[in-house]
Amino acid sequence: MARRAARRLYRALGRRGVFLAILGIGKTCWGVSFLVDPPSDQGLQLLTDLCSLRHWSWLWITCGLITFVSAFLRVGRDWAGFAAAIIPPTVWAIAYTAAVLSGQYSRGLWVAIWYLTSHVGVILWAATVPEHSVPRVPRPARRGKAA
């Protein structure tokens, strides 16, 4: 029974929807972790100068929920999910890059590159993947005249 429900959900969401649902859950959980037990703010001074990491957690939570809800929209209307998914890792990458440039956190360069590739890059790629990639149908063999 659970297998049938999972198959039905997969068919309803499609590949893009499944990606957005997983991403939305992950971003929401990441935001909740900042809310419940904020980590060190090393490298994030650009953000913490404005407000605490507990406040910034709501960026991850809100964007995660938008991303998750967008999973249930049709292809073409799910753009808000991809846009929301990009925002938090881009903000974090900017903060880490600023920390490197100011000399506050030299390791921030590698963290910024990680956010830009494994988060932003993957999201940008997934946004361009069509829902269904159907291979070309081979041409049927021609009937020739027997000699």
Side-chain angles (χ1 to χ4, degrees), residues 32-46:
V32 170
S33 78
F34 278 104
L35 190 62
V36 173
D37 187 19
S40 164
D41 65 348
Q42 191 173 12
L44 296 172
Q45 287 79 15
L46 181 69

Side-chain angles (χ1 to χ4, degrees), residues 6 9 22 25 30 36 45 49 57 75 84 97 102-103 108 110-112 114 117 123 131-132 138 147:
L9 181 63
I22 291 169
I25 291 169
W30 187 247
V36 173
Q45 287 79 15
D49 286 348
S57 71
V75 175
T97 302
S102 68
W110 310 112
V111 180
W114 178 71
T117 56
I123 294 164
E131 180 56 38
H132 296 286

Side-chain angles (χ1 to χ4, degrees), residues 41-46 94-109:
D41 65 348
Q42 191 173 12
L44 296 172
Q45 287 79 15
L46 181 69
I94 290 168
Y96 281 117
T97 302
V100 170
L101 296 175
S102 68
Q104 294 174 345
Y105 190 55
S106 61
R107 184 174 177 262
L109 175 65

Side-chain angles (χ1 to χ4, degrees), residues 64-90:
L65 292 174
I66 292 169
T67 301
F68 181 77
V69 169
S70 295
F72 296 92
L73 301 176
R74 290 187 326 177
V75 175
R77 296 184 181 194
D78 58 0
W79 63 268
F82 289 103
I86 284 179
I87 294 170
T90 302

